[in-house]
Amino acid sequence: KAGVTQTPRYLIKTRGQQVTLSCSPISGHRSVSWYQQTPGQGLQFLFEYFSETQRNKGNFPGRFSGRQFSNSRSEMNVSTLELGDSALYLCASSLLPTDTQYFGPGTRLTVL
Amino acid sequence: AQKVTQAQTEISVVEKEDVTLDCVYETRDTTYYLFWYKQPPSGELVFLIRRNSFDEQNEISGRYSWNFQKSTSSFNFTITASQVVDSAVYFCALSDVGAGGTSYGKLTFGQGTILTVHP
């Protein structure tokens, strides 16, 4: 069974731009969670989607948004990028929201 | 609110030594799950183990073992006879079934412990 895939793997953007990251969950998994990892803040929860609905959201500004499609694939969007948004963005999928999460390789975003 | 503390920022050992990574958690829920993940230099978080709050049995998987003690809110991870390939960042995480499902899909992570195993 294929694991969680994330595209692109690396991105370089400039301040003020917006970016969209994509996540394809493990086949059959319906819950997708997103995390931001930075050296200073560690791993922080962004949001979780299940059956195309956002069920939970972390403490991030409204510039961070996401969605989930009927095939469980998910995208997250960051608008008006700031330097502090430079991070590794990790996506995880699970069968249900309370099940074990399996992570993708991440997208490394650099904001210049 | 949930909180996970990994007091050891970095640990350095020589191959074949045993090493224990500490994890202390806080939650007000009675039903919760504890996890350990490994993050090698490639960046992907690799799942190692999940325990639920009602199962305090220790677990052993090859060279890995886990000690869960609710009385001290700890979930420690021991690697026996460490190997160079064990070098990675290890994260302890907590997921609780909060009231109204507000914690669904959310893992709260500790700050991680960087383990370096020297040959």
Side-chain angles (χ1 to χ4, degrees), chain A residues 4-6 37 39 44 50 65 86 96:
Chain A
V4 178
T5 58
Q6 292 187 246
Q37 185 176 26
Q44 293 187 291
F50 179 70
S65 63
S86 294
L96 296 172

Side-chain angles (χ1 to χ4, degrees), chain A residues 33 35 37 56 98 100-101, chain B residues 37 39 44 50 102 104-105 107:
Chain A
S33 297
Y35 296 85
Q37 185 176 26
N56 201 358
T98 52
T100 297
Q101 294 183 20
Chain B
Y37 285 89
Q39 187 175 41
E44 183 171 343
R50 161 180 148 135
T102 57
Y104 282 178
L107 290 173

Side-chain angles (χ1 to χ4, degrees), chain A residues 9 31 33 35 37 39-43 45 48 55-56 88 90 97-105, chain B residues 33 35 37 39 42-47 50 91 95 97 101-111:
Chain A
R9 293 294 310 279
S31 173
S33 297
Y35 296 85
Q37 185 176 26
Q41 298 299 316
L43 278 155
F45 172 76
E48 185 264 348
R55 305 291 175 130
N56 201 358
L88 179 66
L90 292 161
T98 52
D99 288 328
T100 297
Q101 294 183 20
Y102 297 90
F103 285 79
Chain B
Y33 302 93
F35 302 81
Y37 285 89
Q39 187 175 41
S42 61
E44 183 171 343
L45 281 168
V46 178
F47 166 72
R50 161 180 148 135
F91 291 94
S95 172
V97 182
T102 57
S103 295
Y104 282 178
K106 174 185 176 182
L107 290 173
T108 298
F109 286 89
Q111 285 299 104

Side-chain angles (χ1 to χ4, degrees), chain B residues 82-104:
Chain B
S82 60
Q83 299 176 1
V84 172
V85 293
D86 295 327
S87 296
V89 184
Y90 290 86
F91 291 94
C92 180
L94 166 71
S95 172
D96 58 25
V97 182
T102 57
S103 295
Y104 282 178

Side-chain angles (χ1 to χ4, degrees), chain A residues 54-74:
Chain A
Q54 187 183 91
R55 305 291 175 130
N56 201 358
K57 190 177 190 308
N59 189 25
F60 278 83
R63 300 185 296 108
F64 291 82
S65 63
R67 59 178 175 168
Q68 186 181 37
F69 302 95
S70 58
N71 61 358
S72 295
R73 191 177 70 85
S74 178

Side-chain angles (χ1 to χ4, degrees), chain A residues 2-30:
Chain A
V4 178
T5 58
Q6 292 187 246
T7 56
R9 293 294 310 279
Y10 301 92
L11 263 179
I12 299 176
K13 292 285 187 180
T14 56
R15 278 181 300 173
Q17 288 187 309
Q18 76 165 24
V19 66
T20 299
L21 312 182
S22 180
C23 172
S24 292
I26 293 171
S27 177
H29 284 193
R30 295 168 59 196

